[in-house]
Amino acid sequence: MQLYQSNQIKIHNSLTGKKEVFKPINEGHVGMYVCGPTVYSNVHLGNVRTFMSFDMIFRYLKHLGYKVRYVRNITDAGHLENDADVGEDKITKKARLEQIEPMEVVQRYTVDFHNILNTLNFLPPSIEPTATGHIIEQIELINKIIDNGFAYEINGSVYFDVHKFNETNDYGKLSKRKLEDLIHNTRALDGQSDKKNPQDFALWKKAEPQHIMRWPSPWGDGFPGWHLECTAMSTKYLGETFDIHGGGMDLKFPHHECEIAQNEAAIGKSPVNYWMHANMLELNGQRMSKTTGNTINPNELLSGNNDKMSKAYSPSVIRFFMAQSSYRSVLDLTDDGLKASEKGYNRLMEAINLLPKLNTSKTSSIKIEDWKQKCYDAMNDDFNSPILIAQLFEATKYINQIKEGKETLTAEDLGLLKDTMNAFVFDVLGLRNEAETSSGTDKLTGAVEVLIKLRQEARANKDFAMSDKIRDELAEVGIQLKDGKDGTTFSVN
């Protein structure tokens, strides 16, 4: 029996504004799509917060025994400045400024994105499709929407007819906006003369002569609209209707609203059963903004090389800090908050390191089974990580009381406590025991330094065969020695 069979999850569905019991379309299987980054710059820390929320959700679903297909895309084309239908492609603009190919920009920042997420101990998604890898699927989707009467082509561009769609459907149901209000609040923008109405959005844009990224289509050379890629890729890999679609709160309108409209216009079905939105990350009580200088990127936070924080913070402390707030709450990143999280994280790790050293008794004075259920209750309630962490701190109190002889546990209950702590701290929250990691690194350094010393002695004795043997055998296991004027150093590949 899998854990999901005895754990009922409730998810806050952005579409209805209510917590709803989670019932996957196919029992034991979950399809989840999360909007990934547009790779034209280093990944934003606010985006990291969103992806971390869904990494935790992915981890918990897997922990419960669900087979999860988690799809998170890479936007490598079609995303214009200010998320509009006019202006310059963000990737093309960066390529032009740096005088490099657009795909060099894509490669550079995709690698940066993966490096940051690996450092922060993210699990990779099941599938990571790219917009440029699915041009054919996007063209096919546009053809369906045109055939169904909800899009029109003009001067080589194709636009979604929002007004026509709204005659039989509810455009705005996710963001709770009415089309009449959108019409009233629309300001006149240059370059929108091709559209029937300002609210219409691009499915395909004609590429002007200077536009580098372009593909052939039935309407001429061009590139897909931003909203289209997620509809094409999510339905390709997860089906016409799937379980969970996630992303940042800022994507609810227009991006996710347009995804729903495209799917209903093309296929006649609402694409998603549960819409989930992670809230914003602020910095020192204010919105993060490059223009005001109120910003910090993940590398700066990890290295301490910034003017916003007093020190560097480790990957697990950053994860722990973010997990202490509900994914649906605005989170304020501050130095004091991170320091407090560092203390809490260290307390938690100290307790976990004490577990193997605890003595057992013939009786238990603590009801571990009840405590364990509270951990599951927290995560089952819309993935409430702050309440889970409160329960983990309750367990640290138990551990210290057992160590001091004030409470007792049987061997069986101690085993249950260990297993539950490890499951929620490491598997679900994705923390690492950094003391163990650094201890392992220190031991490796010490061992290699002993071998370097033996090699130096061999060279001093003119035993060059032994010297070369030590160097070559270390190289075979990925440890490179480098001789310099200040001695021998090493690096691990």
Side-chain angles (χ1 to χ4, degrees), residues 441-457 470 474 479-481 487-492:
T441 304
D442 292 345
K443 288 174 183 174
L444 173 66
T445 301
V448 175
E449 285 175 352
V450 167
L451 289 168
I452 289 172
K453 190 175 178 183
L454 289 172
R455 181 169 173 263
Q456 287 169 341
E457 289 175 3
I470 291 170
L474 282 173
I479 298 170
Q480 302 291 333
L481 298 186
T488 302
T489 57
F490 76 94
S491 60
V492 181

Side-chain angles (χ1 to χ4, degrees), residues 13 15 24 64 69 74 98 116 139 159 169 204 241 291 297 339 397 407 432 453 472 491:
N13 190 346
L15 192 61
L64 291 182
R69 179 176 288 177
I74 296 284
E98 298 194 14
I116 290 296
I139 289 172
Y159 294 99
N169 298 271
W204 187 265
T241 301
T291 53
N297 72 37
K339 281 179 181 174
K397 186 174 78 176
E407 301 285 359
R432 289 186 176 119
K453 190 175 178 183
D472 295 343
S491 60

Side-chain angles (χ1 to χ4, degrees), residues 353-468:
N353 293 336
L354 274 175
L355 278 167
K357 303 168 188 174
L358 296 180
N359 294 320
T360 58
S361 173
K362 290 181 180 179
T363 59
S364 292
S365 56
I366 305 165
K367 293 181 178 177
I368 295 301
E369 194 66 56
D370 290 351
W371 165 81
K372 174 186 170 184
Q373 188 55 52
K374 288 176 183 175
C375 292
Y376 281 98
D377 290 345
M379 288 303 287
N380 292 340
D381 183 18
D382 197 30
F383 311 100
N384 198 326
S385 54
I387 299 298
L388 170 64
I389 288 171
Q391 290 302 326
L392 295 176
F393 279 130
E394 190 70 12
T396 65
K397 186 174 78 176
Y398 298 156
I399 291 165
N400 287 313
Q401 287 172 339
I402 296 162
K403 178 196 169 192
E404 294 163 9
K406 295 176 182 176
E407 301 285 359
T408 58
L409 277 189
T410 62
E412 185 181 356
D413 276 351
L414 180 58
L416 182 62
L417 178 60
K418 284 179 187 175
D419 291 346
T420 308
M421 285 288 280
N422 286 331
F424 281 104
V425 171
F426 302 121
D427 298 344
V428 174
L429 292 181
L431 305 180
R432 289 186 176 119
N433 194 335
E434 288 170 347
E436 280 185 4
T437 306
S438 61
S439 171
T441 304
D442 292 345
K443 288 174 183 174
L444 173 66
T445 301
V448 175
E449 285 175 352
V450 167
L451 289 168
I452 289 172
K453 190 175 178 183
L454 289 172
R455 181 169 173 263
Q456 287 169 341
E457 289 175 3
R459 293 173 79 180
N461 295 329
K462 298 193 178 340
D463 187 354
F464 298 114
M466 178 56 72
S467 167
D468 291 347

Side-chain angles (χ1 to χ4, degrees), residues 183-392:
I183 294 168
H184 180 72
N185 293 324
T186 300
R187 51 196 175 88
L189 296 174
D190 292 337
Q192 287 198 329
S193 55
D194 281 352
K195 296 183 183 183
K196 289 182 182 177
N197 299 286
Q199 295 77 33
D200 296 349
F201 58 88
L203 298 174
W204 187 265
K205 287 288 290 180
K206 177 184 177 181
E208 300 302 328
Q210 71 275 14
H211 200 95
I212 307 170
M213 300 180 84
R214 58 173 66 218
W215 292 267
S217 81
W219 317 285
D221 277 8
F223 54 95
W226 170 40
H227 313 305
L228 191 68
E229 60 173 296
C230 288
T231 299
M233 290 187 282
S234 62
T235 54
K236 174 172 181 173
Y237 296 112
L238 298 175
E240 292 178 352
T241 301
F242 54 94
D243 297 304
I244 297 171
H245 193 315
M249 194 75 76
D250 55 324
L251 297 180
K252 190 183 285 188
F253 186 88
H255 186 52
H256 291 160
E257 198 72 72
C258 293
E259 278 191 61
I260 292 174
Q262 288 166 164
N263 213 76
E264 292 182 348
I267 303 166
K269 292 181 180 179
S270 188
V272 181
N273 286 343
Y274 304 88
W275 284 92
M276 299 180 69
H277 291 92
N279 217 320
M280 300 294 101
L281 181 69
E282 294 182 342
L283 178 59
N284 294 323
Q286 295 181 316
R287 187 173 181 270
M288 281 203 197
S289 167
K290 286 181 182 177
T291 53
T292 62
N294 191 51
T295 185
I296 185 170
N297 72 37
N299 277 320
E300 290 170 337
L301 190 58
L302 288 160
S303 67
N305 185 22
N306 63 82
D307 60 359
K308 302 289 188 300
M309 305 295 163
S310 61
K311 54 180 283 189
Y313 291 98
S314 72
S316 282
V317 167
I318 294 168
R319 278 195 79 109
F320 191 64
F321 170 77
M322 291 190 177
Q324 285 183 289
S325 178
S326 164
Y327 76 91
R328 291 197 299 117
S329 301
V330 174
L331 177 59
D332 188 15
L333 184 73
T334 66
D335 196 38
D336 287 344
L338 283 163
K339 281 179 181 174
S341 288
E342 187 172 55
K343 286 179 183 174
Y345 164 78
N346 289 335
R347 243 177 76 211
L348 195 56
M349 290 304 127
E350 284 165 11
I352 285 173
N353 293 336
L354 274 175
L355 278 167
K357 303 168 188 174
L358 296 180
N359 294 320
T360 58
S361 173
K362 290 181 180 179
T363 59
S364 292
S365 56
I366 305 165
K367 293 181 178 177
I368 295 301
E369 194 66 56
D370 290 351
W371 165 81
K372 174 186 170 184
Q373 188 55 52
K374 288 176 183 175
C375 292
Y376 281 98
D377 290 345
M379 288 303 287
N380 292 340
D381 183 18
D382 197 30
F383 311 100
N384 198 326
S385 54
I387 299 298
L388 170 64
I389 288 171
Q391 290 302 326
L392 295 176

